[in-house]
Amino acid sequence: MNASIDRNQTLFERAQQTIPGGVNSPVRAFGSVGGTPRFISRAQGARMYDVNDKEYIDYIGSWGPMILGHGHPTVIAAVSAALQSGFSFGAPTEAEVIMAETLTRLLPSMEQVRLVSSGTEATMSAVRLARGFTGRSLLIKFEACYHGHSDSLLVKAGSGLLTFGHPTSAGVLDDFAKHSLVLPYNDITALEVAFKEHAAIIAGVIIEPVAGNMNLLPSDPAFLQGLRKLCTQHGALLIFDEVMCGFRVGLSGAQGHYGVTPDITTLGKVIGGGFPMAAFGGRRDIMQTLAPVGAVYQAGTLSGNPVAVSAGLVTLQLIQAPNFYTELTQRTQRLIDGLNLAAQKSGVAFCAQHLGSMFGMYFADAIPKNYADIQKHNQTRFKQFFHAMLDRGIYFAPSAFEAGFMSSAHTAQDVDATCAAAAEIFSTW
Ligand code: PLP
C-alpha cells in the first residue's frame, strides 16, 4: 500500500471516532465516489498537499473562496496586520464600513449590506427578511439549488444532499417545509403556475442564478427575466443567492452577467478570501426592516470579524485589477477546451462548460439544461475519472454534483497538465 494512502486512511479512521463521518462537512467524506478523503496539511498557489506530502492541482479552491489561489502574499500581509490589532471586538470597525461600501459599489442592487459569518447565515437571514418585509409566508426555491442548511432551505437542496441521495433532511419539520415550494429550475411555466395559485402568500423566490450545487448549470436568461417580472408584478422579493457565483462569474456577479436586478443578494466564499465571512444586502427600504432599525431580528457575535474582513477586503481589491477576470476566464476556457478535445479524440461521452471561473464537467453527450438532464449523466464514469485524476495529482470535487473552480494562481502549464492527464485516462476507456 502506498504510504500516502496509509496516512490519509489512518487519520480518516481516527477522525471517525470523534467526528461524525470523520469530516466537518459531508461532501468532504468522499461518500459518493468512495475511497479515502485526503487530509490536507498545507496549500500554496494552485497546489494542495496531503498529510503525506502528495501534491495536487486544486480545482476546488475550498469550494469557491480561493479565487486568488492559496496563501496569496498580499492577503497574508493584510491578515497578519489585522491580527496584530486584535482578533475580535464585538464592536463596529472602520474596515466593516469599507467592506460595506465596497460591496454596495460593486453590486449596486445592494444599497445596504449586513455582514455575517457563513453563506448559510446569509441565506437564512435573507429569507427571514423577505418574510418579515412582505408579511407573507411562502418561499419558492428551485430543485437542487443549495442555499445552505437552514430549515426553510433544506428542501430538495443540491450538493451534499444530492450526493447522498436525500432530497431533504431529517429534522426539518413538515410544518416548516410546507412553507417552501420547490419548482424545477429553468422552467418558466411552472413558475407562472405557482404565482397564479399562490401569489398572495409568496414572500420571495430564492435562486442560484448560476447554479453550482448540481454541477454547473447557468439559468436561461429568459427564465431569469421572467422570474424578475413575476416577482415585481406580485410584490414578492427576488433573492439571488450569489454565495457561490458572486465574484466568480465576474466582478458584477450573476446579476451583472444577466442584467437582472434582485431585491436581495446573498454573498459568501470569495468575499471572505478563505475566512468565515458572508453577507446579505439589498434595497434600502428592505434592509431598513432589520434590527436595530426594524423588526426583523438578526445578529452575530463574530459578524464582521476584523481578521475575516481584512482578508475579504484585500481579496476584493485584487480581483478588481485590470484584466483579472479576462485572464481567469481565459484560463478556465483553456481547461474546458482541453478536456472537451481529449474526450472527443477518444470518443468519450463527456462535455464541459464554464461561466467565468466556475466550470462543470458532465459524463454525457450534451450540456445539461436542467436538473433532470444532470441526473442522467454517467456517474460511474465520473467516479472512475475522479479517482484516476486524483491518483495523478489532480483534485476535482469528490461529487458529480459540484462545480469546479479556477484560481488566478493556476498557470497554463497546470491546465495543460490537467488536460493531458484527462486525455490519458480517456484513451484507456
Ligand atoms: N448558498 C450557496 C449557493 C452555496 O453554494 C453555499 C455553500 O456551498 C451556501 C449558500 C452556504 O454557504 P456556507 O457553506 O458558507 O454556509
Side-chain angles (χ1 to χ4, degrees):
M1 183 185 281
N2 173 317
S4 131
I5 293 172
D6 204 22
R7 292 206 62 200
N8 286 303
Q9 184 61 33
T10 310
L11 259 181
F12 190 39
E13 280 161 18
R14 195 175 128 205
Q16 288 173 83
Q17 300 305 309
T18 49
I19 304 172
V23 293
N24 281 312
S25 196
V27 184
R28 296 180 196 171
F30 278 28
S32 77
V33 289
T36 308
R38 300 306 189 256
F39 282 69
I40 303 301
S41 58
R42 67 198 164 91
Q44 183 58 49
R47 299 285 196 284
M48 291 207 300
Y49 301 83
D50 73 10
V51 280
N52 219 33
D53 231 16
K54 182 173 164 70
E55 181 180 283
Y56 302 90
I57 301 177
D58 173 23
Y59 288 105
I60 303 184
S62 187
W63 305 94
M66 309 315 299
I67 196 166
L68 302 171
H70 298 280
H72 192 289
T74 316
V75 181
I76 292 181
V79 168
S80 307
L83 280 171
Q84 299 306 316
S85 303
F87 304 163
S88 182
F89 313 126
T93 63
E94 184 177 3
E96 289 166 82
V97 182
I98 299 171
M99 175 57 83
E101 289 166 351
T102 306
L103 293 175
T104 53
R105 177 172 55 76
L106 292 173
L107 299 177
S109 74
M110 300 171 78
E111 293 173 339
Q112 290 207 313
V113 63
R114 166 90 24 110
L115 302 185
V116 291
S117 300
S118 71
T120 293
E121 249 189 281
T123 52
M124 176 188 76
S125 308
V127 168
R128 184 181 307 139
L129 180 59
R131 286 179 167 144
F133 180 79
T134 58
R136 300 175 181 177
S137 57
L138 190 67
L139 176 75
I140 292 182
K141 78 175 284 289
F142 297 96
E143 196 172 29
C145 280
Y146 177 68
H147 304 289
H149 60 92
S150 71
D151 284 4
S152 300
L153 292 164
L154 268 189
V155 186
K156 287 205 179 169
S159 192
L161 287 164
L162 278 184
T163 304
F164 295 107
H166 300 301
T168 128
S169 163
V172 175
L173 303 179
D174 288 347
D175 263 1
F176 229 95
K178 75 179 185 200
H179 297 295
S180 302
L181 181 64
V182 184
L183 299 179
Y185 196 75
N186 273 340
D187 183 341
I188 193 69
T189 311
L191 194 64
E192 283 165 353
V193 170
F195 267 95
K196 210 166 178 184
E197 288 178 6
H198 307 291
I201 58 162
I202 299 173
V205 181
I206 187 165
I207 185 166
E208 282 184 81
V210 175
N213 287 289
M214 46 176 151
N215 210 317
L216 176 70
L217 184 55
S219 299
D220 280 342
F223 172 72
L224 270 195
Q225 284 152 12
L227 170 58
R228 174 66 276 180
K229 212 166 140 193
L230 283 167
C231 286
T232 306
Q233 255 170 21
H234 298 286
L237 300 187
L238 176 56
I239 306 170
F240 271 10
D241 181 357
E242 297 220 36
V243 165
M244 186 184 276
C245 61
F247 302 115
R248 274 286 169 188
V249 167
L251 198 52
S252 56
Q255 49 200 270
H257 174 77
Y258 285 102
V260 174
T261 305
D263 300 302
I264 301 176
T265 300
T266 57
L267 296 169
K269 300 194 189 259
V270 167
I271 69 161
F275 285 77
M277 199 187 76
F280 65 102
R283 266 176 26 212
R284 184 177 305 274
D285 58 330
I286 299 170
M287 294 302 286
Q288 288 288 309
T289 317
L290 273 184
V293 275
V296 176
Y297 197 70
Q298 182 279 331
T301 300
L302 293 178
S303 293
N305 172 268
V307 181
V309 170
S310 72
L313 270 181
V314 72
T315 299
L316 291 176
Q317 264 162 28
L318 290 167
I319 64 176
Q320 290 177 68
N323 292 332
F324 179 86
Y325 280 98
T326 314
E327 283 165 19
L328 189 60
T329 301
Q330 279 168 358
R331 194 63 36 85
T332 319
Q333 180 73 52
R334 186 182 182 104
L335 175 71
I336 296 316
D337 290 346
L339 291 174
N340 280 331
L341 185 69
Q344 225 173 33
K345 277 188 177 158
S346 297
V348 172
F350 170 93
C351 49
Q353 67 174 343
H354 77 103
L355 198 53
S357 58
M358 285 170 75
F359 61 88
M361 300 182 290
Y362 323 90
F363 285 88
D365 287 318
I367 296 284
K369 292 269 172 264
N370 52 39
Y371 173 53
D373 287 351
I374 285 179
Q375 279 178 308
K376 283 185 217 141
H377 79 168
N378 188 332
Q379 288 202 47
T380 308
R381 278 300 194 208
F382 171 78
K383 285 178 206 174
Q384 287 169 347
F385 177 70
F386 167 79
H387 278 295
M389 290 298 268
L390 196 66
D391 288 347
R392 289 166 174 75
I394 293 154
Y395 197 115
F396 286 122
S399 160
F401 295 104
E402 299 287 352
F405 300 97
M406 185 68 72
S407 82
S408 56
H410 286 82
T411 61
Q413 289 74 22
D414 293 334
V415 166
D416 294 348
T418 305
C419 297
E424 192 184 296
I425 294 161
F426 289 158
S427 73
T428 64
W429 287 2

